[in-house]
């Protein structure tokens, strides 16, 4: 066991740190992933940030070199993540592409797709989105009804998707659609790459409870997709989707990364605010701060153990779901305490001296507890796949269309 | 970074697991509630096998091992509700650092030492005093060692040997020991958390076993989400507790700057995690869980007492907060 850098990692760390300092003005900064000031739309500058990082070899470090990656190790990636964190660099705007779409294409795409898509995805030249959820199927994803019907060597898509993050900025997406309405519901799905600029794609941003418009609803009317844009085999889309979902849970918290406001930002905030509290409130505030920090350390060090396992060749299993669960809890507690430390100003979206971070995070965390598998769904995954507890009840295997047509 | 134990450590833990399953266990813990005495396996065996002198240097008759290895043993000890606590052994080893003569007495079992908190003349309730012949205490700024009179109360957990001590005829073992006292306490917190980790893991295993086999309304109770999710939350917390315990135990020897935060984090997190897991177990078992017969309450007793020993959750959470803030300043 050791937490030190090897001499080589230390050299690399210095290099990264120097680069981030020298290019500070070209990079966007912030106090946490998925945390934006209300009303700010800085997609373009965030894209530039990601491009600058990519050009320096700091994005896609572990991805194959032939598609623009760095062929590096997870250990190097961890060093980069720590340094990005330390320098307060904003999280990559192409997080859906990096966390979910890209890994899915690498695992299931054709050589041609990898050549065409991956490098531009890494550089945020193209933003990607994930078109899985529908009005009638979120947790029960395999119940989805968007149809893909084969016509020669193309597919005709008809249906509706919703909650699609970044769709309004995306050039491409990965789309899960039903290709066989007769088959049992997990068996009749197929995954495609969809061109978001294709005729028949309508994207409508939706306003969220935090005031942002990050997710969208999408109407797909007779959108045509070439068969060459299929990912994986026909009717084998569920297996492909599992790759995506597993990567999603690793990307969102699984590796011990923080998903709300970072704990060092909370500590800095508390260092200023806590001493200003009335004396009789301070003991409770110390205890509350300790509680958040301990939760955060527990999640972080558990992430390190998971990372060590991955570096030794283990593939992230369903237990990565635990990382998302705990990361959400930490994010919630961090936002809550940060806000309460504002004292009287905690009733405002922005304190009188301009601090909007805590109120925004407070209004954003509920979404993270839903996106990428709700807390309950993740607990089911852990209970059933990791602990071997029995499922709720035999799950419906009926074709999704048959079930809904009955009504 | 390599945050895992190695094969040698895994084997060592396996060896300890076997030892404690043969020489300690819930039957012994239950018997102690009716008939006071020394917990199993007891000081003599722990000394003989070198478990209690793991962190005593070789030149003082110990094994000279790192705290992490002690934590791995402690985890197995906790699983079987063994006593006296290895936390006491680890604490003594730190307090007597540099006094090889005294450490040798400890390592060979010539004296049986417990550490008492509070005033030496009338101590606070302290652990493992019922099986001790000698006591270590902080007197002003100095560490003193000597015999004492033990008074015991009615124990909630009889394996912890909790009592109050009045020391007399003590000699000074070390002058100016306040800092060392703090470190020793945090080392003990780390090992106590390791014992809690092992116990909590056993507890969640028992809950899982029962939830798979017990059926109500025609289906296993583990299929009900209110049962399943409670167990999952405990399991997740225990997995996180392991990270904190290993990190703290490692930091004791390798990262003194971070060690205090790590140790307090492990202790505080253990207090809540172990207690909650026990409460889940009792509840998930239904009526059986409330019987004297079942092992559940033995773990529950341990959890209810351990959470208060060596500083409660509030104390350690506050320490984590204060230390983190002082790192900023
Ligand atoms: C901020 C945000 C971003 C998102 N981004 C994307 C995206 O980019 N692409 C995409 O495809 N989707 C995205 N989603 C959708 C997300 O995956 C779904 O919202 C989520 O899976 C839940 O589905 P649902 O909304 O249909 O809720 P439902 O599935 O209807 O769930 C409603 C409630 O019922 C509970 N529930 C459901 N099933 C069970 C069960 N078996 N046991 C216990 N409780 C259950 C849930 O936990 C939840 O509390 C996003 C969502 C949010 C909030």
């Amino acid at each position: 066991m050791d937490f030190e850098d090897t001499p080589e990692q230390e050299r690399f760390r210095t290099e990264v740190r120097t680069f981030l300092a020298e290019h500070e003005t070209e990079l966007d900064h912030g106090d946490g992933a998925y945390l934006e000031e209300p009303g700010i739309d800085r997609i373009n500058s965030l894209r530039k940030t990601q491009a600058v990082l990519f050009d320096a070899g700091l994005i896609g470090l572990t991805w194959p070199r032939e598609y623009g990656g760095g062929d590096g190790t997870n250990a190097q990636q961890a060093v980069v993540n720590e340094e990005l964190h330390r320098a307060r660099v904003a999280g990559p705007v192409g997080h859906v592409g990096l966390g979910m779409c890209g890994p899915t294409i690498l695992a299931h795409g054709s050589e041609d797709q990898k050549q065409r898509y991956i490098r531009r995805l890494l550089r945020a030249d193209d933003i990607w989105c994930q078109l899985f959820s529908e009005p009638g199927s979120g947790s029960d994803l395999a119940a989805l009804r968007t149809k893909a019907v084969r016509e020669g060597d193309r597919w005709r898509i008809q249906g509706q998707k919703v909650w699609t993050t970044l769709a309004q900025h995306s050039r491409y997406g990965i789309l899960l659609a039903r290709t066989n309405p007769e088959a049992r519901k997990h068996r009749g799905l197929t995954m495609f790459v969809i061109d978001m600029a294709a005729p028949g794609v309508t994207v409508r941003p939706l306003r969220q409870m935090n005031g942002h418009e990050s997710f969208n609803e999408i109407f797909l009317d007779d959108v045509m997709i070439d068969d060459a844009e299929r990912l994986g085999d026909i009717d084998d889309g569920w297996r492909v989707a599992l790759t995506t979902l597993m990567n999603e849970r690793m990307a969102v918290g699984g590796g011990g990364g923080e998903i709300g406001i970072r704990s060092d930002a909370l500590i800095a905030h508390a260092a200023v605010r806590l001493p200003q509290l009335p004396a009789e409130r301070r003991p409770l505030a110390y205890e509350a701060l300790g509680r958040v920090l301990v939760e955060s350390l527990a999640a972080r060090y558990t992430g390190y153990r998971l990372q060590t396992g991955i570096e030794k060749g283990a593939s992230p299993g369903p237990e990565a779901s635990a990382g998302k669960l705990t990361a959400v809890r930490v994010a919630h507690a961090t936002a809550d305490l940060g806000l309460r430390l504002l004292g009287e100003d905690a009733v405002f979206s922005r304190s009188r001296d301009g601090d909007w971070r805590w109120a925004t995070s407070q209004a954003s965390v509920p979404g993270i507890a839903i996106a990428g598998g709700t807390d309950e769904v993740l607990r089911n995954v852990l209970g059933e796949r990791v602990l071997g507890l029995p499922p709720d009840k035999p799950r419906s295997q009926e074709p999704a269309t048959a079930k809904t047509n009955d009504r | 970074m390599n945050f895992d134990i190695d094969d040698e450590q895994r084997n060592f833990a396996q060896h300890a697991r076997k030892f404690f399953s043969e020489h300690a266990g819930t039957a012994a813990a239950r018997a102690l509630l009716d008939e006071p005495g020394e917990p199993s396996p007891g000081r003599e065996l722990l000394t003989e096998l070198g478990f209690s002198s793991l962190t005593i240097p070789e030149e003082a008759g110990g094994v000279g091992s790192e705290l992490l290895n002690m934590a791995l043993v402690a985890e197995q000890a906790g699983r079987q509700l063994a006593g006296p606590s290895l936390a006491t052994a680890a604490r003594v080893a730190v307090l007597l650092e540099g006094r090889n003569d005294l450490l040798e007495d400890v390592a060979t079992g010539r004296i049986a030492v417990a550490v008492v908190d509070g005033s030496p003349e009338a101590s606070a309730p302290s652990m493992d005093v019922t099986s001790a012949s000698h006591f270590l205490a902080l007197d002003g700024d100095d560490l003193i060692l000597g015999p004492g009179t033990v008074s015991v109360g009615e124990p909630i957990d009889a394996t912890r040997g909790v009592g109050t001590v009045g020391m007399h005829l003590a000699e000074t073992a070390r002058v100016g020991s306040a800092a060392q006292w703090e470190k020793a306490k945090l080392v003990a917190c780390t090992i106590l958390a390791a014992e809690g980790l092992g116990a909590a893991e056993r507890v969640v295993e028992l809950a899982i076993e029962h939830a798979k086999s017990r059926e109500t309304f025609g289906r296993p109770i583990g299929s009900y989400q209110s049962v399943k999710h409670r167990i999952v939350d405990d399991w997740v917390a225990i997995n996180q507790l392991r990270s904190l315990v290993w990190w703290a135990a490692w930091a004791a020897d390798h990262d003194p700057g971070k060690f205090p935060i790590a140790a307090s984090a492990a202790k505080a997190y253990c207090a809540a995690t172990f207690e909650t897991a026990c409460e889940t177990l009792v509840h998930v078992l239904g009526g059986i869980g409330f019987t004297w017969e079942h092992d559940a309450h033995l773990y529950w007793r341990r959890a209810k007492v351990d959470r208060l020993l060596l500083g409660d959750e509030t104390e350690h959470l506050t320490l984590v907060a204060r230390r983190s803030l002082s790192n900023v300043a």
Side-chain angles (χ1 to χ4, degrees):
Chain A
M1 188 176 296
D2 79 84
F3 295 86
E4 334 264 284
D5 285 343
T6 62
E8 188 205 330
Q9 282 167 348
E10 209 179 305
R11 253 195 319 278
F12 182 56
R13 186 183 295 281
T14 313
E15 253 174 61
V16 175
R17 192 172 293 184
T18 312
F19 176 86
L20 295 179
E22 281 171 358
H23 294 75
E24 199 186 340
T25 53
E26 297 161 55
L27 301 169
D28 265 347
H29 297 82
D31 279 323
Y34 316 120
L35 182 72
E36 286 296 322
E37 186 168 3
I40 278 207
D41 187 10
R42 53 171 184 172
I43 292 288
N44 286 334
S45 64
L46 285 169
R47 285 174 77 155
K48 183 174 159 221
T49 294
Q50 187 172 331
V52 169
L53 295 175
F54 173 80
D55 293 342
L58 302 182
I59 296 264
L61 205 72
T62 60
W63 298 37
R65 190 176 291 279
E66 61 225 278
Y67 310 123
D71 266 344
T73 62
N74 283 301
Q76 286 172 317
Q77 183 66 59
V79 168
V80 169
N81 293 347
E82 281 161 26
E83 290 306 312
L84 289 170
H85 183 119
R86 190 176 172 280
R88 300 181 56 251
V89 175
V93 63
H95 61 94
V96 176
L98 292 170
M100 300 138 215
C101 306
T104 308
I105 294 166
L106 284 181
H108 302 281
S110 65
E111 182 57 30
D112 176 55
Q113 286 172 317
K114 293 181 205 174
Q115 293 289 355
R116 276 186 295 127
Y117 294 138
I118 298 296
R119 177 184 301 274
R120 294 180 55 82
L121 177 155
L122 287 169
R123 206 171 176 278
D125 291 336
D126 298 325
I127 300 283
W128 284 68
C129 61
Q130 174 187 344
L131 299 91
F132 284 18
S133 303
E134 297 183 5
S137 66
S139 302
D140 188 7
L141 179 60
L144 63 84
R145 306 184 67 195
T146 290
K147 271 191 311 192
V149 179
R150 181 123 197 195
E151 292 182 4
D153 56 5
R154 305 176 78 193
W155 295 84
R156 179 182 295 277
I157 314 292
Q158 182 67 43
Q160 186 184 349
K161 295 285 173 180
V162 74
W163 323 131
T164 320
T165 301
L166 283 170
Q168 73 272 50
H169 306 292
S170 291
R171 179 61 217 271
Y172 299 105
I174 55 174
L175 169 80
L176 191 60
R178 184 161 305 281
T179 37
N180 185 349
E182 311 305 325
R184 297 168 135 213
K185 71 179 185 183
H186 293 86
R187 297 280 169 77
L189 304 172
T190 304
M191 188 80 78
F192 300 93
V193 172
I194 179 172
D195 180 347
M196 297 297 286
V201 178
T202 309
V203 176
R204 283 224 300 257
L206 294 169
R207 190 151 186 215
Q208 305 164 170
M209 69 178 265
N210 60 0
H212 297 177
E213 293 180 355
S214 303
F215 63 27
N216 300 267
E217 61 181 344
I218 297 182
F219 302 93
L220 303 165
D221 295 307
D222 294 327
V223 179
M224 300 307 292
I225 298 182
D226 283 348
D227 187 52
E229 292 300 351
R230 180 160 45 79
L231 289 172
D233 290 338
I234 295 174
D235 291 350
D236 199 26
W238 185 250
R239 207 168 58 84
V240 181
L242 287 180
T243 306
T244 317
L245 296 177
M246 214 48 256
N247 278 287
E248 177 162 21
R249 280 158 208 172
M250 268 308 281
V252 187
E258 289 169 299
I259 59 179
I261 300 183
R262 301 184 326 229
S263 60
D264 53 351
L266 177 66
I267 294 170
H269 178 59
V272 176
R273 292 287 180 160
L274 209 152
Q276 296 171 11
L277 293 176
E280 72 276 12
R281 292 202 144 223
R282 269 176 243 154
L284 281 176
Y286 277 115
E287 181 173 350
L289 176 62
R291 194 178 298 280
V292 180
L293 296 180
V294 168
E295 277 282 353
S296 147
L297 288 168
R300 179 173 343 147
Y301 278 83
T302 302
Y304 291 160
R305 272 175 55 221
L306 200 69
Q307 272 177 30
T308 294
I310 291 170
E311 276 164 35
K312 288 181 179 168
S315 57
E319 58 277 5
S321 297
K324 198 216 155 203
L325 261 185
T326 54
V328 167
R329 199 157 63 209
V330 172
H332 183 276
T334 301
D336 186 55
L337 181 62
L339 191 74
R340 285 169 36 189
L341 284 169
L342 292 174
E344 290 180 346
D345 278 3
V347 295
F348 298 121
S349 290
R350 191 186 293 266
S351 68
R352 279 168 282 185
D353 56 4
D355 194 348
W356 50 266
R357 297 169 299 168
W358 315 99
T360 299
S361 190
Q362 166 174 265
S364 302
V365 170
I368 314 176
I370 297 166
T374 68
D375 289 356
E376 288 70 30
V377 165
L378 298 182
R379 287 189 173 99
N380 284 344
V381 167
L382 289 166
E384 293 165 26
R385 309 252 187 82
V386 181
L387 305 186
L389 292 168
D392 273 283
K393 64 177 177 71
R395 300 233 157 83
S396 151
Q397 298 295 334
E398 295 295 297
T401 39
K403 191 177 76 185
T404 29
N405 285 347
D406 284 347
R407 301 232 175 104
Chain B
M1 186 182 63
N2 170 18
F3 191 11
D4 196 6
I5 55 173
D6 60 30
D7 286 343
E8 198 182 320
Q9 287 168 320
R10 248 177 262 283
N11 287 337
F12 181 53
Q14 202 52 43
H15 163 68
R17 187 184 190 96
K18 185 158 178 290
F19 167 79
F20 285 105
S21 67
E22 285 164 5
H23 296 278
T26 49
R30 182 182 287 102
L32 275 187
L33 283 168
D34 292 327
E35 186 104 8
E38 206 197 1
S40 303
R43 286 185 188 257
E44 212 179 297
L45 258 185
L46 288 174
T47 308
E48 201 176 294
L49 271 114
F51 285 145
S52 50
S53 54
L54 268 174
T55 53
I56 294 177
E58 278 174 288
E59 57 274 23
V63 181
S65 190
E66 299 194 343
L67 194 69
L68 178 57
N69 291 329
M70 184 81 138
L72 297 176
V73 175
E75 188 181 326
Q76 301 307 327
R79 198 180 158 83
Q80 301 293 346
L81 301 176
S85 176
L86 291 169
T88 297
R91 194 177 181 189
V92 169
V94 176
L95 287 174
L96 294 179
E97 237 168 62
R99 287 297 308 264
N100 285 359
D101 52 334
L102 294 174
L103 282 174
E104 213 166 315
D105 287 342
V106 174
T108 52
R110 269 195 294 278
I111 55 173
V113 184
V115 186
V116 300
D117 292 293
S119 129
E121 295 83 42
S123 84
S126 303
M127 59 196 291
D128 295 321
V129 297
T130 57
S131 59
S133 63
H134 289 69
F135 305 94
L136 279 166
L138 195 64
D139 187 17
D141 209 19
D142 299 336
L143 182 72
I144 58 169
L145 175 70
T149 314
V150 175
S151 325
V152 292
E154 211 174 302
I156 291 176
D157 173 14
T159 65
R160 280 307 185 207
V162 177
T164 55
V165 178
M167 286 176 68
H168 40 84
L169 300 174
E171 55 170 307
T172 302
R174 238 183 125 126
V175 181
S177 291
Q180 195 73 6
W181 181 266
E182 275 314 301
K183 180 183 172 197
K185 188 171 167 189
L186 290 172
V187 162
C189 283
T190 304
I191 297 301
L192 199 70
E195 290 184 349
L197 166 65
E201 187 163 70
R202 178 66 191 138
V203 164
V204 85
E205 281 170 19
L206 290 170
I208 292 170
E209 270 168 35
H210 187 72
K212 282 183 187 170
S213 60
R214 170 70 178 174
E215 294 199 3
T216 67
F217 304 97
R219 53 193 261 215
I221 56 169
S223 68
Y224 298 111
Q225 288 187 0
S226 48
V227 172
K228 177 185 297 169
H229 290 185
R230 212 168 148 171
I231 294 175
V232 164
D233 285 346
D234 294 345
W235 180 85
V236 168
I238 289 164
N239 192 36
Q240 298 210 106
L241 174 58
R242 167 161 289 121
S243 313
L244 292 177
V245 167
W246 285 4
W247 172 47
W250 176 86
D253 291 302
H254 299 278
D255 195 349
K258 294 212 181 99
F259 173 62
I261 285 182
S264 281
K267 177 66 174 77
Y269 200 72
C270 182
T273 299
F274 182 19
E275 183 185 13
T276 308
C278 291
E279 284 173 347
T280 299
L281 175 62
V282 169
H283 191 71
V284 162
L285 286 165
I288 303 166
F290 192 60
T291 62
W292 191 263
E293 284 307 299
H294 199 280
D295 288 349
H297 75 106
L298 301 167
Y299 287 96
W300 176 91
R301 287 170 184 280
R302 176 60 80 83
K304 289 291 180 186
V305 172
D306 273 13
R307 71 195 170 123
L308 305 174
L309 297 174
L310 305 174
D312 67 359
E313 202 189 4
T314 298
E315 178 176 326
H316 287 286
L317 292 177
T318 304
L319 280 171
V320 168
R322 286 188 179 278
R323 290 211 161 90
S324 304
L325 290 173
S326 67
N327 289 346
V328 183

